């Protein structure tokens, strides 16, 4: 069942087109990674899902309703990012009390245990926390609210590696204990890959891929072998990246456009290897012909 | 699938009012402090004074009334309401279940509650000032009207409420959609032009001549109008988190 349905969704801020004709559907009870480079439109899309901003054109339904300024969407959704803020007069303990008062599925005991594990003092104020502690507290706040739609926009920003690893596990455990939809954006895709079920890849305001993780990783493959043997093959397909060194070529190509069997390729000395999700994202979103080395040449 | 939570707007507004009223209580303490400072500054002269003398005879009259205390309270309400609409407060609202509509309604209720407390603070200041003068001044104190009639209390409440409503409306307008901002700016500009071009066209005398109760009703009517517009604009506003 879809909990989010977008049709031809566009959003402009003045002359800047943040989203362009986005059509997508998000299933319930899945952990979905919303991936894209800086300025790809991820946060704009999440802000529309959260009901904070209106699309310029197109439609968006969350829980079958227009989410904009909708109290029912707000009651079933929590949006966690680094801009989450609380009154200066509240200690962290007071914030937890307030959360318990508002969110019907709130897990106060779990919040205490997780914050104790992360070594965060509950008498401190939200503004007094370090960047990493702030991110940890915000993530705990989002997890223990147990909303049907939990949006985490760069939730691990500022956390150290140990806490990041722990909290990926915490997300997974919370998901198993209380299945719900998680939408997570992060630049640490490699770390997060293990908990994701689907990836929605965005580039320049459009969704360029939306598939289960395994299917997504199989979109591109890497071929390496003698340049002569690969030349004909590469001329017939779209090449995402290519490197030639000492007569050997390695190239990243679209797997669906490769019509030659692996046995034939092996016979020609060409090896086929798969890529991880992070590499697929990198190649699908990198601008053609752009090369950082070229700036310094 | 996890069952969805059904919460009514009313429930959320009640929760928001409860937390907001508790959190922004310092606004009331700031009113107390301002009124104490004002009370000390005007201790000798009151809200207005006049004097005359002939030969060795010198007569000095000092009037002590609620007027200045009310003006201070009204300005306080306007500023507090304006602060409620600032970005910091609006972003704080997003950390719990809320919508722009629920937050606007909650702010209105908090302003109404605070206006009620502001009247109590005003009256307390007035009586404390009167007591202080009676004890400290050696000169004769003529008490014209020590008992404050309910109609004056209602007028004070409606005046504070009106300024609070105006503060909320102004703050909401300038965070609202661009069309409304342009429309209101044009309206204010035309209003100012009208005042400067023909000052006689605005005659407040019929309003001033009304009874306290009638003025209160008029003020409350305008306040309700401001509150309604605030909710309507908030309903259309997007959230800017940058």
């Amino acid at each position: 069942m879809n909990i989010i349905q977008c049709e031809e969704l566009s959003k402009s801020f003045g002359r800047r087109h943040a989203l362009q004709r986005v059509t997508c559907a998000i299933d319930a009870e899945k952990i979905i990674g919303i991936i894209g480079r800086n300025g790809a439109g991820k946060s704009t899309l999440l802000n529309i899902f959260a009901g904070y901003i209106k699309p310029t054109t197109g439609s968006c339904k969350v829980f079958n309703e227009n989410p904009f300024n909708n109290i029912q969407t707000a009651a079933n959704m929590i949006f966690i990012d680094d801009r989450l803020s609380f009154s200066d007069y509240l200690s962290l303990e007071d914030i937890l009390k307030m959360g318990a008062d508002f969110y019907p599925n709130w897990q106060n005991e779990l919040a205490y245990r997780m914050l104790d594990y992360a070594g965060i003092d509950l008498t401190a104020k939200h503004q007094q926390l370090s960047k990493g502690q702030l991110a940890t507290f915000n993530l705990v706040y989002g997890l223990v609210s147990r909303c049907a739609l939990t949006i985490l926009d760069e939730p691990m920003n500022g956390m150290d590696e140990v806490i990041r690893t722990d909290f990926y596990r915490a997300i997974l455990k919370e998901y198993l204990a209380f299945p719900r939809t998680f939408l997570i954006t992060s630049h640490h895709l490699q770390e997060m890959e293990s908990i994701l079920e689907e990836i929605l890849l965005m580039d320049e305001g459009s969704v360029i891929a939306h598939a289960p993780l395994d299917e997504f990783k199989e979109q591109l493959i890497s071929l390496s072998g003698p340049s002569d043997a690969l030349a004909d093959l590469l001329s017939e397909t779209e090449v995402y990246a290519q490197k030639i060194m000492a007569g050997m070529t390695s190239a990243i190509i679209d797997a669906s456009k490769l019509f030659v069997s692996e046995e034939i390729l092996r016979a020609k000395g060409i090896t086929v290897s798969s890529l991880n999700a992070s590499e697929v994202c990198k190649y699908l979103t990198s601008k053609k012909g752009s090369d950082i080395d070229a700036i310094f040449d | 699938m996890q069952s969805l939570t059904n919460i009514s707007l009313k429930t959320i507004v009640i929760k928001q009012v409860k937390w907001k009223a508790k959190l922004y209580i310092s606004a009331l303490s700031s009113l107390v402090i301002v009124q104490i400072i004002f009370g000390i500054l005007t201790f000798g002269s009151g809200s207005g004074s006049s004097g005359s003398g002939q030969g060795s005879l010198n007569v000095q009259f000092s009037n002590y009334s609620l007027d200045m205390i009310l003006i201070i309270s009204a300005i306080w309400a306007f500023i507090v309401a304006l602060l409620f609409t600032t970005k910091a407060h609006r972003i704080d609202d997003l950390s719990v279940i809320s919508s722009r509509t629920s937050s606007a309604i909650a702010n209105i209720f908090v302003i109404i509650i605070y206006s009620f407390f502001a009247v109590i603070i005003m009256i307390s200041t007035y009586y404390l000032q009167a007591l202080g003068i009676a004890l400290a001044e050696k000169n004769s104190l003529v008490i014209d009207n020590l008992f404050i009639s309910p109609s004056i209390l209602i007028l004070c409440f409606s005046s504070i409420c009106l300024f609070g409503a105006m503060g909320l409306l102004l703050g909401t307008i300038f965070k609202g959609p661009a069309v409304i901002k342009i429309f209101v700016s044009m309206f204010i500009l035309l209003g100012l032009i009208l005042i400067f071009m023909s000052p006689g066209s605005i005659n407040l005398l019929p309003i001033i001549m009304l009874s306290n109760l009638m003025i209160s009703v008029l003020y409350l009517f305008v306040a309700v109008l401001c509150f309604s517009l605030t909710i309507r604009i908030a309903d259309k506003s997007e959230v800017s988190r940058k």
Side-chain angles (χ1 to χ4, degrees):
Chain A
M1 187 194 161
N2 293 337
I3 64 156
I4 300 173
Q5 183 83 45
C6 295
E7 297 282 344
E8 299 283 307
L9 199 68
S10 297
K11 177 71 185 173
S12 303
F13 296 102
R15 286 182 187 170
R16 194 172 69 83
H17 302 293
L19 291 179
Q20 297 179 68
R21 302 170 67 113
V22 170
T23 297
C24 64
I26 305 281
D27 286 341
E29 296 182 8
K30 279 193 174 166
I31 304 181
I32 298 158
I34 303 204
I35 312 297
R37 301 184 57 182
N38 293 329
K42 306 182 296 285
S43 295
T44 306
L45 186 66
L46 295 182
N47 273 288
I48 291 176
F49 291 165
Y52 296 160
I53 56 174
K54 271 189 275 197
T56 310
T57 57
S59 80
C60 176
K61 298 261 184 214
V62 178
F63 308 117
N64 286 324
E65 287 186 48
N66 177 4
F68 183 72
N69 199 21
N70 186 325
I71 201 75
Q72 287 313 322
T73 307
N76 291 285
M77 180 280 308
I78 190 156
F79 190 112
I80 302 294
D81 67 355
D82 56 1
R83 294 188 201 111
L84 192 73
S85 96
F86 298 93
S87 167
D88 302 350
Y89 302 106
L90 292 173
S91 68
L92 298 185
E93 197 162 12
D94 295 331
I95 294 172
L96 295 183
K97 276 183 198 154
M98 186 170 72
D101 192 26
F102 277 89
Y103 292 97
N105 299 325
W106 185 267
Q107 300 295 305
N108 223 27
E109 263 305 303
L110 183 65
Y112 276 84
R113 287 204 303 268
M114 283 207 273
L115 292 172
D116 184 44
Y117 176 80
I120 296 174
D121 178 15
L122 287 173
T123 58
K125 297 275 171 68
H126 194 253
Q127 297 75 11
Q128 293 169 338
L129 299 178
S130 71
K131 200 176 173 189
Q133 285 178 323
L134 202 75
T136 309
F137 179 82
N138 291 351
L139 181 56
V140 169
Y141 188 84
L143 289 177
V144 301
S145 64
R146 287 194 171 172
C147 289
L149 174 61
T150 304
I151 300 175
L152 307 173
D153 190 5
E154 308 283 356
M156 308 289 179
N157 269 5
M159 286 187 195
D160 63 57
E161 204 179 335
V162 177
I163 286 285
R164 280 210 303 272
T165 314
D166 286 344
F167 273 86
Y168 284 124
R169 284 184 66 74
I171 293 173
L172 192 61
K173 281 186 174 289
E174 251 305 287
Y175 170 72
L176 294 172
F178 202 77
R180 63 198 117 145
T181 308
F182 278 96
L183 297 182
I184 313 174
T185 70
S186 176
H187 290 298
H188 305 285
L189 179 57
Q190 223 161 348
E191 289 176 5
M192 197 172 67
E193 218 179 297
S194 60
I195 64 164
L196 296 181
E197 289 177 80
E198 277 182 19
I199 283 186
L200 189 140
L201 182 65
M202 296 191 69
D203 192 36
E204 295 180 344
S206 304
V207 172
I208 58 168
H210 181 196
L213 188 69
D214 291 336
E215 215 175 285
F216 180 80
K217 285 197 281 191
E218 287 162 8
Q219 280 191 48
L220 300 183
I221 50 166
S222 167
L223 300 179
S224 358
S227 299
D228 300 342
L230 270 170
D232 285 347
L233 199 65
L234 296 182
S235 64
E236 290 163 8
T237 186
E238 190 178 354
V239 179
Y240 285 87
Q242 189 174 359
K243 263 186 191 162
I244 304 167
M245 201 179 279
M248 295 294 282
T249 296
S250 63
I252 309 294
I253 65 159
D254 189 338
S256 65
K257 303 227 171 102
L258 183 70
F259 303 108
V260 185
S261 71
E262 218 167 301
E263 286 78 32
I264 298 169
L265 291 172
R266 220 176 290 135
K268 287 182 180 177
I270 299 167
T271 54
V272 181
S273 50
S274 57
L275 303 172
N276 63 31
S278 182
E279 287 170 323
V280 174
C281 287
K282 185 183 128 190
Y283 291 119
L284 285 176
T285 56
S286 49
K287 288 193 182 89
K288 287 189 183 67
S290 71
D291 183 5
I292 188 76
D293 293 335
I295 296 168
F296 299 96
D297 290 341
Chain B
M1 190 189 150
Q2 180 190 337
S3 60
L4 296 179
T5 302
N6 273 314
I7 299 182
S8 68
L9 183 68
K10 187 181 150 195
T11 312
I12 294 300
V13 168
I14 292 169
K15 284 180 196 285
Q16 278 191 286
V17 170
K18 186 181 90 181
W19 282 94
K20 276 172 185 267
K22 205 157 68 175
L23 286 175
Y24 308 138
I25 200 86
S26 59
L28 286 174
S29 50
S30 71
L31 178 66
V32 173
I33 293 164
V34 168
Q35 297 215 342
I36 289 170
I37 294 168
F38 177 77
I40 293 165
L41 290 175
T42 60
F43 192 78
S45 58
S47 55
S49 65
S50 63
S52 62
Q54 196 174 19
S56 60
L57 187 71
N58 196 16
V59 183
Q60 179 77 32
F61 297 99
S62 291
N63 296 312
Y64 294 88
S65 74
L66 272 172
D67 298 357
M68 282 309 287
I69 304 173
L70 177 62
I71 290 168
I72 287 173
S73 303
I75 294 169
W76 164 86
F78 182 79
I79 294 168
V80 166
L82 209 59
L83 287 174
F84 278 3
T85 64
T86 54
K87 198 171 166 183
H89 284 85
R90 281 181 290 127
I91 292 182
D92 285 355
D93 286 347
L94 301 177
S95 305
V96 290
I97 298 174
S98 67
S99 64
R100 259 75 74 220
T101 314
S102 75
S103 296
I105 299 171
N107 284 341
I108 289 166
F109 278 113
V110 174
I111 283 295
I112 293 170
I113 294 167
Y114 279 10
S115 300
F116 175 74
F117 283 113
V119 172
I120 296 172
I121 292 168
M122 268 180 62
I123 306 302
S124 310
T125 310
Y126 177 68
Y127 282 125
L128 279 173
Q129 200 179 29
L131 186 71
I133 294 156
L135 293 173
E137 285 284 332
K138 290 185 183 81
N139 302 326
S140 62
L141 182 69
V142 180
I143 300 168
D144 175 45
N145 197 1
L146 192 59
F147 176 73
I148 300 166
S149 73
S151 68
I152 291 176
L153 289 180
I154 294 168
L155 181 65
C156 291
F157 172 77
S158 58
S159 310
I160 296 170
C161 219
L162 173 66
F163 275 80
M166 289 196 296
L168 275 184
L169 180 62
L170 199 72
T172 311
I173 282 169
F174 287 98
K175 272 98 198 173
V179 181
I180 296 169
K181 271 185 252 184
I182 295 165
F183 177 76
V184 171
S185 304
M186 292 290 286
F187 184 77
I188 293 171
L189 195 71
L190 285 173
L192 287 173
I193 290 169
L194 183 75
I195 291 167
F196 284 112
M197 295 291 279
S198 59
S201 62
I202 296 163
N203 186 8
L204 294 175
L205 200 63
I207 298 171
I208 295 164
M209 295 308 285
L210 288 172
S211 67
N212 284 345
L213 218 56
M214 281 308 290
I215 296 176
S216 302
V217 170
L218 187 72
Y219 283 0
L220 286 174
F221 175 74
V222 179
V224 169
L225 201 71
C226 290
F227 286 148
S228 311
L229 278 171
T230 302
I231 296 170
R232 189 89 186 119
I233 296 166
D235 202 35
K236 304 276 172 216
S237 303
E238 291 190 340
V239 177
S240 166
R241 311 179 86 217
K242 286 178 184 162

